[in-house]
Amino acid sequence: MAKNHAGHPASYALGIDLGGTKTLAAVIDVSTGAVIASARKRTKAERGQDFVARRVVEVARAALEAADLRNGRELLAVGIGAAGQIDRQAGVILEAPNLGVRDMPVAALLSAEFERPVAVGNDVEVAALGEYLHGAGRTYKNFVCVFIGTGIGAGIIQNGRLYTGLSGTAGEIGHITVEASGRICGCGARGCLEAYASRTAITRAILAEIHHGRKSVLADEALLQLKGGETIIRSGLLASAIQQNDELVIEVVSEAADYLGYGLASIINFYNPEAIILGGGVIEAIDLLFERAVRRARTVALSLPARQTPIVRTRLGDFSGVVGAACLAAQAAGYRLRESEEQSIEE
Protein backbone atom coordinates (compact mmCIF):
# COMPACT_ATOMS: atom_id res chain seq x y z
CA MET A 1 0.00 0.00 0.00
CA ALA A 2 1.27 3.45 -0.85
CA LYS A 3 2.09 5.81 2.03
CA ASN A 4 0.94 9.37 2.45
CA HIS A 5 3.20 12.25 3.41
CA ALA A 6 2.79 11.49 7.12
CA GLY A 7 4.02 7.93 6.57
CA HIS A 8 0.62 6.31 7.15
CA PRO A 9 -1.13 3.99 4.66
CA ALA A 10 -2.65 6.27 2.03
CA SER A 11 -6.34 6.06 1.17
CA TYR A 12 -5.68 5.90 -2.55
CA ALA A 13 -8.13 4.65 -5.16
CA LEU A 14 -8.12 4.92 -8.93
CA GLY A 15 -11.01 6.77 -10.54
CA ILE A 16 -11.79 6.60 -14.26
CA ASP A 17 -14.17 8.82 -16.22
CA LEU A 18 -15.06 7.19 -19.54
CA GLY A 19 -16.77 9.80 -21.70
CA GLY A 20 -17.75 10.11 -25.33
CA THR A 21 -14.97 12.61 -26.03
CA LYS A 22 -12.21 11.86 -23.51
CA THR A 23 -11.13 9.25 -21.01
CA LEU A 24 -9.67 10.61 -17.76
CA ALA A 25 -8.09 8.56 -14.98
CA ALA A 26 -6.66 9.76 -11.67
CA VAL A 27 -5.25 8.40 -8.45
CA ILE A 28 -7.34 9.99 -5.68
CA ASP A 29 -6.82 10.27 -1.94
CA VAL A 30 -10.43 9.50 -1.07
CA SER A 31 -10.08 10.89 2.46
CA THR A 32 -9.62 14.40 1.07
CA GLY A 33 -10.59 14.22 -2.59
CA ALA A 34 -7.07 15.27 -3.56
CA VAL A 35 -5.89 14.35 -7.06
CA ILE A 36 -2.48 12.68 -6.68
CA ALA A 37 -1.84 12.25 -10.41
CA SER A 38 -3.88 11.95 -13.58
CA ALA A 39 -3.80 11.07 -17.27
CA ARG A 40 -6.20 11.65 -20.13
CA LYS A 41 -6.63 10.79 -23.79
CA ARG A 42 -9.32 11.08 -26.42
CA THR A 43 -11.68 8.13 -26.23
CA LYS A 44 -11.96 7.75 -30.04
CA ALA A 45 -15.12 5.71 -29.71
CA GLU A 46 -15.44 5.54 -33.49
CA ARG A 47 -12.66 2.92 -33.47
CA GLY A 48 -14.90 0.39 -31.79
CA GLN A 49 -15.55 -1.32 -28.48
CA ASP A 50 -12.27 -3.26 -28.31
CA PHE A 51 -10.31 -0.04 -28.80
CA VAL A 52 -12.33 1.70 -26.06
CA ALA A 53 -11.55 -1.16 -23.67
CA ARG A 54 -7.83 -0.91 -24.43
CA ARG A 55 -7.98 2.87 -24.07
CA VAL A 56 -9.46 2.61 -20.57
CA VAL A 57 -6.62 0.34 -19.42
CA GLU A 58 -4.00 2.48 -21.16
CA VAL A 59 -5.13 5.71 -19.49
CA ALA A 60 -5.51 3.99 -16.10
CA ARG A 61 -1.94 2.68 -16.28
CA ALA A 62 -0.68 6.11 -17.29
CA ALA A 63 -2.29 7.62 -14.17
CA LEU A 64 -0.66 4.97 -11.96
CA GLU A 65 2.74 5.67 -13.50
CA ALA A 66 2.26 9.41 -13.00
CA ALA A 67 1.49 8.73 -9.33
CA ASP A 68 4.66 6.62 -9.04
CA LEU A 69 2.67 3.52 -8.14
CA ARG A 70 4.03 0.25 -9.48
CA ASN A 71 0.71 -1.51 -10.07
CA GLY A 72 -2.97 -1.52 -9.18
CA ARG A 73 -2.44 -3.71 -6.11
CA GLU A 74 -1.21 -0.64 -4.23
CA LEU A 75 -4.74 0.80 -4.44
CA LEU A 76 -7.81 0.28 -2.29
CA ALA A 77 -9.97 -0.20 -5.36
CA VAL A 78 -10.75 0.96 -8.88
CA GLY A 79 -13.90 2.88 -9.82
CA ILE A 80 -15.21 3.88 -13.21
CA GLY A 81 -18.02 6.14 -14.31
CA ALA A 82 -19.13 5.50 -17.88
CA ALA A 83 -21.52 7.37 -20.14
CA GLY A 84 -24.57 5.20 -20.70
CA GLN A 85 -26.82 2.66 -19.01
CA ILE A 86 -25.06 0.55 -16.40
CA ASP A 87 -25.66 -2.78 -14.69
CA ARG A 88 -23.98 -1.80 -11.44
CA GLN A 89 -24.10 -5.24 -9.85
CA ALA A 90 -22.58 -7.03 -12.84
CA GLY A 91 -20.23 -4.14 -13.65
CA VAL A 92 -21.36 -4.01 -17.28
CA ILE A 93 -21.97 -1.05 -19.57
CA LEU A 94 -25.26 -2.18 -21.08
CA GLU A 95 -25.61 0.48 -23.75
CA ALA A 96 -23.77 3.73 -24.40
CA PRO A 97 -24.74 5.39 -27.71
CA ASN A 98 -22.11 8.12 -27.36
CA LEU A 99 -19.42 5.46 -26.83
CA GLY A 100 -20.59 2.92 -29.38
CA VAL A 101 -20.46 0.33 -26.59
CA ARG A 102 -22.90 -2.44 -25.72
CA ASP A 103 -22.68 -5.17 -23.05
CA MET A 104 -19.09 -4.26 -22.16
CA PRO A 105 -17.91 -6.13 -18.99
CA VAL A 106 -15.76 -3.27 -17.76
CA ALA A 107 -15.56 -4.44 -14.13
CA ALA A 108 -14.19 -7.83 -15.16
CA LEU A 109 -11.72 -6.12 -17.50
CA LEU A 110 -10.35 -3.81 -14.80
CA SER A 111 -10.38 -6.47 -12.09
CA ALA A 112 -8.29 -8.79 -14.26
CA GLU A 113 -5.90 -5.99 -15.16
CA PHE A 114 -5.32 -4.51 -11.69
CA GLU A 115 -6.39 -7.31 -9.31
CA ARG A 116 -8.40 -4.90 -7.18
CA PRO A 117 -12.12 -4.57 -6.36
CA VAL A 118 -13.96 -2.60 -9.04
CA ALA A 119 -17.10 -0.46 -8.79
CA VAL A 120 -18.98 0.79 -11.86
CA GLY A 121 -21.48 3.63 -12.15
CA ASN A 122 -22.93 6.06 -14.64
CA ASP A 123 -20.49 8.89 -15.34
CA VAL A 124 -22.78 11.71 -14.23
CA GLU A 125 -24.02 10.01 -11.06
CA VAL A 126 -20.46 9.41 -9.86
CA ALA A 127 -19.63 13.03 -10.73
CA ALA A 128 -22.56 14.12 -8.55
CA LEU A 129 -21.16 11.93 -5.79
CA GLY A 130 -17.76 13.56 -6.15
CA GLU A 131 -19.32 17.01 -5.85
CA TYR A 132 -21.31 15.87 -2.81
CA LEU A 133 -18.31 14.47 -0.99
CA HIS A 134 -15.61 16.96 -1.91
CA GLY A 135 -17.06 19.69 -4.13
CA ALA A 136 -19.84 22.22 -4.55
CA GLY A 137 -22.46 19.91 -3.06
CA ARG A 138 -20.90 19.45 0.37
CA THR A 139 -23.42 21.75 2.06
CA TYR A 140 -26.52 20.16 0.46
CA LYS A 141 -28.40 16.90 1.03
CA ASN A 142 -30.74 17.16 -1.97
CA PHE A 143 -29.44 18.46 -5.27
CA VAL A 144 -29.18 17.69 -8.98
CA CYS A 145 -25.86 17.78 -10.80
CA VAL A 146 -26.20 18.36 -14.57
CA PHE A 147 -23.26 17.81 -16.91
CA ILE A 148 -23.17 19.10 -20.48
CA GLY A 149 -20.70 17.41 -22.80
CA THR A 150 -20.99 14.99 -25.70
CA GLY A 151 -24.46 14.37 -24.25
CA ILE A 152 -26.38 15.72 -21.27
CA GLY A 153 -27.01 13.79 -18.07
CA ALA A 154 -27.78 14.40 -14.42
CA GLY A 155 -26.95 12.80 -11.10
CA ILE A 156 -29.39 13.09 -8.22
CA ILE A 157 -28.43 13.26 -4.55
CA GLN A 158 -31.51 12.62 -2.40
CA ASN A 159 -31.28 12.75 1.40
CA GLY A 160 -27.52 12.45 1.12
CA ARG A 161 -27.58 9.38 -1.13
CA LEU A 162 -27.33 8.73 -4.83
CA TYR A 163 -30.78 8.17 -6.28
CA THR A 164 -30.70 5.93 -9.36
CA GLY A 165 -34.39 5.05 -9.77
CA LEU A 166 -36.33 1.86 -10.42
CA SER A 167 -34.33 0.77 -13.47
CA GLY A 168 -31.13 2.60 -12.53
CA THR A 169 -31.61 5.27 -15.19
CA ALA A 170 -32.76 8.24 -13.08
CA GLY A 171 -31.27 11.55 -14.13
CA GLU A 172 -31.56 11.24 -17.92
CA ILE A 173 -32.40 14.93 -18.20
CA GLY A 174 -30.88 14.99 -21.68
CA HIS A 175 -33.82 12.96 -22.93
CA ILE A 176 -36.68 15.12 -21.76
CA THR A 177 -38.58 16.59 -24.72
CA VAL A 178 -38.02 20.31 -25.29
CA GLU A 179 -39.24 20.51 -28.90
CA ALA A 180 -42.12 18.33 -30.06
CA SER A 181 -41.22 16.54 -33.34
CA GLY A 182 -37.84 18.25 -33.19
CA ARG A 183 -34.32 17.10 -34.06
CA ILE A 184 -33.50 13.40 -33.93
CA CYS A 185 -31.48 12.54 -30.82
CA GLY A 186 -28.83 9.86 -30.50
CA CYS A 187 -31.33 7.83 -28.44
CA GLY A 188 -33.66 7.65 -31.45
CA ALA A 189 -36.33 10.00 -30.13
CA ARG A 190 -37.10 13.49 -31.42
CA GLY A 191 -36.81 16.83 -29.66
CA CYS A 192 -34.61 15.78 -26.71
CA LEU A 193 -32.74 18.42 -24.75
CA GLU A 194 -29.47 16.68 -25.68
CA ALA A 195 -30.21 17.29 -29.37
CA TYR A 196 -30.31 21.06 -28.72
CA ALA A 197 -27.96 21.92 -25.85
CA SER A 198 -25.10 19.39 -25.78
CA ARG A 199 -21.69 20.25 -27.18
CA THR A 200 -22.43 17.77 -29.98
CA ALA A 201 -25.61 19.68 -30.84
CA ILE A 202 -23.78 23.02 -30.75
CA THR A 203 -21.09 21.65 -33.07
CA ARG A 204 -23.59 20.25 -35.56
CA ALA A 205 -25.55 23.49 -35.67
CA ILE A 206 -22.41 25.55 -36.31
CA LEU A 207 -21.13 23.18 -39.00
CA ALA A 208 -24.49 23.16 -40.75
CA GLU A 209 -24.61 26.96 -40.88
CA ILE A 210 -21.01 27.22 -42.13
CA HIS A 211 -21.75 24.70 -44.88
CA HIS A 212 -24.68 26.89 -45.93
CA GLY A 213 -22.39 29.90 -46.31
CA ARG A 214 -22.43 31.57 -42.89
CA LYS A 215 -19.14 33.21 -41.95
CA SER A 216 -17.33 32.23 -38.76
CA VAL A 217 -13.83 32.28 -37.33
CA LEU A 218 -14.37 28.54 -36.88
CA ALA A 219 -14.77 27.92 -40.64
CA ASP A 220 -11.27 26.48 -41.01
CA GLU A 221 -11.72 24.43 -37.87
CA ALA A 222 -14.99 23.10 -39.26
CA LEU A 223 -13.23 21.86 -42.39
CA LEU A 224 -10.58 20.19 -40.25
CA GLN A 225 -13.31 18.54 -38.20
CA LEU A 226 -14.83 17.07 -41.33
CA LYS A 227 -11.54 15.86 -42.78
CA GLY A 228 -10.50 14.30 -39.50
CA GLY A 229 -13.83 12.61 -38.90
CA GLU A 230 -14.34 14.42 -35.59
CA THR A 231 -17.79 15.51 -34.46
CA ILE A 232 -16.92 17.92 -31.65
CA ILE A 233 -15.56 21.47 -31.67
CA ARG A 234 -13.64 21.87 -28.43
CA SER A 235 -15.01 24.12 -25.71
CA GLY A 236 -11.94 26.35 -25.78
CA LEU A 237 -12.45 27.09 -29.48
CA LEU A 238 -16.09 27.97 -28.89
CA ALA A 239 -15.10 30.29 -26.04
CA SER A 240 -12.42 31.93 -28.20
CA ALA A 241 -14.91 32.51 -31.02
CA ILE A 242 -17.33 34.18 -28.61
CA GLN A 243 -14.54 36.44 -27.32
CA GLN A 244 -13.99 37.46 -30.95
CA ASN A 245 -17.69 38.36 -31.23
CA ASP A 246 -18.36 35.60 -33.77
CA GLU A 247 -22.01 36.21 -34.65
CA LEU A 248 -22.77 32.62 -35.65
CA VAL A 249 -21.23 31.00 -32.57
CA ILE A 250 -22.92 33.49 -30.23
CA GLU A 251 -26.26 32.80 -31.93
CA VAL A 252 -25.93 29.00 -31.69
CA VAL A 253 -24.63 29.00 -28.10
CA SER A 254 -27.38 31.41 -27.04
CA GLU A 255 -30.05 29.12 -28.50
CA ALA A 256 -28.48 26.11 -26.75
CA ALA A 257 -28.44 28.06 -23.48
CA ASP A 258 -32.14 28.83 -23.80
CA TYR A 259 -32.97 25.16 -24.29
CA LEU A 260 -30.75 24.23 -21.36
CA GLY A 261 -32.62 26.81 -19.30
CA TYR A 262 -35.92 25.08 -20.13
CA GLY A 263 -34.45 21.80 -18.89
CA LEU A 264 -33.20 23.38 -15.66
CA ALA A 265 -36.59 25.03 -15.10
CA SER A 266 -38.22 21.59 -15.42
CA ILE A 267 -35.89 20.27 -12.70
CA ILE A 268 -36.75 23.20 -10.44
CA ASN A 269 -40.49 22.82 -10.94
CA PHE A 270 -40.63 19.05 -10.60
CA TYR A 271 -37.95 18.19 -8.04
CA ASN A 272 -37.53 21.47 -6.13
CA PRO A 273 -33.91 20.67 -5.16
CA GLU A 274 -31.79 22.59 -2.68
CA ALA A 275 -29.43 23.40 -5.55
CA ILE A 276 -28.52 22.63 -9.15
CA ILE A 277 -24.84 22.15 -9.91
CA LEU A 278 -23.70 22.49 -13.53
CA GLY A 279 -20.56 20.95 -14.98
CA GLY A 280 -18.88 19.85 -18.18
CA GLY A 281 -16.35 21.48 -20.46
CA VAL A 282 -18.70 23.92 -22.17
CA ILE A 283 -20.11 25.10 -18.84
CA GLU A 284 -16.61 25.63 -17.44
CA ALA A 285 -15.35 27.41 -20.56
CA ILE A 286 -18.30 29.48 -21.77
CA ASP A 287 -19.77 32.08 -19.43
CA LEU A 288 -22.43 32.96 -22.01
CA LEU A 289 -23.87 29.44 -21.90
CA PHE A 290 -23.92 29.24 -18.10
CA GLU A 291 -25.25 32.73 -17.42
CA ARG A 292 -27.94 32.73 -20.12
CA ALA A 293 -29.15 29.25 -19.15
CA VAL A 294 -29.49 30.35 -15.52
CA ARG A 295 -31.41 33.48 -16.52
CA ARG A 296 -33.72 31.48 -18.76
CA ALA A 297 -34.35 28.91 -16.02
CA ARG A 298 -35.27 31.61 -13.52
CA THR A 299 -37.62 33.23 -16.06
CA VAL A 300 -39.40 30.00 -17.02
CA ALA A 301 -39.58 28.18 -13.66
CA LEU A 302 -42.23 28.89 -11.04
CA SER A 303 -41.33 32.16 -9.39
CA LEU A 304 -40.82 31.03 -5.77
CA PRO A 305 -38.44 28.10 -6.38
CA ALA A 306 -36.80 30.04 -9.23
CA ARG A 307 -35.75 32.72 -6.76
CA GLN A 308 -34.67 30.32 -4.04
CA THR A 309 -32.76 27.63 -5.95
CA PRO A 310 -29.00 28.22 -6.21
CA ILE A 311 -27.55 27.27 -9.62
CA VAL A 312 -23.77 27.02 -9.44
CA ARG A 313 -20.84 25.52 -11.29
CA THR A 314 -18.99 22.43 -10.07
CA ARG A 315 -16.05 22.94 -7.74
CA LEU A 316 -14.05 19.94 -8.93
CA GLY A 317 -14.39 20.72 -12.64
CA ASP A 318 -13.04 17.95 -14.88
CA PHE A 319 -12.22 15.83 -11.83
CA SER A 320 -15.75 15.47 -10.44
CA GLY A 321 -16.18 12.10 -12.10
CA VAL A 322 -12.84 10.55 -11.17
CA VAL A 323 -13.13 11.72 -7.55
CA GLY A 324 -16.64 10.28 -7.30
CA ALA A 325 -15.68 7.01 -9.00
CA ALA A 326 -12.69 6.55 -6.69
CA CYS A 327 -14.81 7.23 -3.59
CA LEU A 328 -17.55 4.87 -4.77
CA ALA A 329 -14.99 2.10 -5.28
CA ALA A 330 -13.19 2.69 -1.99
CA GLN A 331 -16.39 2.51 0.04
CA ALA A 332 -17.55 -0.60 -1.84
CA ALA A 333 -14.18 -2.17 -0.94
CA GLY A 334 -14.78 -1.49 2.76
CA TYR A 335 -12.98 1.80 3.29
CA ARG A 336 -14.82 3.82 5.94
CA LEU A 337 -15.44 7.39 4.94
CA ARG A 338 -16.79 9.92 7.39
CA GLU A 339 -20.29 8.93 8.50
CA SER A 340 -22.04 11.57 6.41
CA GLU A 341 -20.04 10.54 3.36
CA GLU A 342 -20.59 6.83 3.88
CA GLN A 343 -24.34 7.32 3.89
CA SER A 344 -24.18 8.99 0.52
CA ILE A 345 -23.13 5.85 -1.32
CA GLU A 346 -24.86 3.07 0.58
CA GLU A 347 -27.32 1.01 -1.42
Side-chain angles (χ1 to χ4, degrees):
M1 177 70 69
K3 304 286 185 177
N4 63 18
H5 295 302
H8 301 297
S11 45
Y12 290 173
L14 180 66
I16 304 168
D17 182 0
L18 174 56
T21 302
K22 73 174 185 302
T23 299
L24 172 66
V27 175
I28 306 295
D29 184 339
V30 296
S31 67
T32 63
V35 177
I36 306 304
S38 66
R40 74 182 68 203
K41 289 191 177 183
R42 289 188 176 275
T43 303
K44 297 187 177 179
E46 70 277 4
R47 296 195 180 184
Q49 184 160 317
D50 289 343
F51 180 87
V52 171
R54 292 194 299 273
R55 179 65 99 195
V56 168
V57 172
E58 177 186 1
V59 177
R61 287 214 169 276
L64 288 177
E65 290 175 10
D68 197 25
L69 299 178
R70 293 187 302 278
N71 54 60
R73 290 183 294 278
E74 298 174 295
L75 302 167
L76 291 166
V78 177
I80 181 168
Q85 297 177 33
I86 308 295
D87 183 332
R88 295 163 185 81
Q89 295 300 318
V92 173
I93 304 173
L94 297 174
E95 187 173 10
N98 292 330
L99 288 171
V101 164
R102 183 186 294 270
D103 296 327
M104 180 177 172
V106 66
L109 170 73
L110 293 170
S111 178
E113 189 71 28
F114 299 112
E115 300 181 21
R116 303 308 301 151
V118 178
V120 182
N122 172 269
D123 61 340
V124 181
E125 77 184 21
V126 298
L129 179 61
E131 288 296 321
Y132 176 71
L133 297 178
H134 297 295
R138 284 183 62 88
T139 58
Y140 304 111
K141 290 292 185 182
N142 298 279
F143 67 88
V144 178
C145 202
V146 180
F147 279 77
I148 298 90
T150 307
I152 298 178
I156 302 169
I157 298 293
Q158 186 177 87
N159 298 323
R161 301 186 183 198
L162 277 173
Y163 177 74
T164 57
L166 174 64
S167 62
T169 57
E172 290 287 359
I173 185 69
H175 300 292
I176 65 169
T177 302
V178 293
E179 192 73 52
S181 302
R183 298 174 187 168
I184 296 177
C185 180
C187 73
R190 284 187 176 273
C192 294
L193 175 61
E194 188 170 295
Y196 288 85
S198 65
R199 188 171 56 176
T200 305
I202 291 170
T203 295
R204 288 174 178 170
I206 291 172
L207 294 181
E209 291 297 324
I210 288 173
H211 296 157
H212 283 87
R214 292 284 299 274
K215 295 185 182 299
S216 170
V217 298
L218 295 181
D220 291 340
E221 179 67 22
L223 292 174
L224 290 174
Q225 297 282 327
L226 287 177
K227 291 177 181 178
E230 298 286 344
T231 59
I232 297 295
I233 296 176
R234 295 190 303 276
S235 301
L237 288 172
L238 294 172
S240 175
I242 291 170
Q243 290 174 351
Q244 296 175 63
N245 293 313
D246 187 295
E247 181 179 335
L248 171 59
V249 176
I250 291 172
E251 175 186 307
V252 171
V253 169
S254 296
E255 180 185 54
D258 287 342
Y259 278 109
L260 178 58
Y262 298 145
L264 300 180
S266 296
I267 293 173
I268 291 171
N269 289 346
F270 177 73
Y271 187 57
N272 194 203
E274 292 179 60
I276 296 175
I277 299 172
L278 300 183
V282 287
I283 287 292
E284 298 295 332
I286 304 174
D287 290 339
L288 171 63
L289 182 67
F290 174 77
E291 293 168 359
R292 184 170 177 129
V294 171
R295 287 198 303 271
R296 178 65 65 179
R298 297 202 189 286
T299 300
V300 174
L302 295 171
S303 60
L304 180 60
R307 291 195 304 270
Q308 293 183 342
T309 307
I311 304 176
V312 300
R313 284 180 165 117
T314 60
R315 184 178 298 167
L316 300 177
D318 265 359
F319 293 98
S320 302
V322 290
V323 170
C327 290
L328 181 68
Q331 195 273 343
Y335 180 81
R336 293 190 63 82
L337 299 164
R338 292 198 310 266
E339 182 180 357
S340 61
E341 294 178 348
E342 189 171 349
Q343 290 174 351
S344 72
I345 50 183
E346 288 177 345
E347 294 294 335

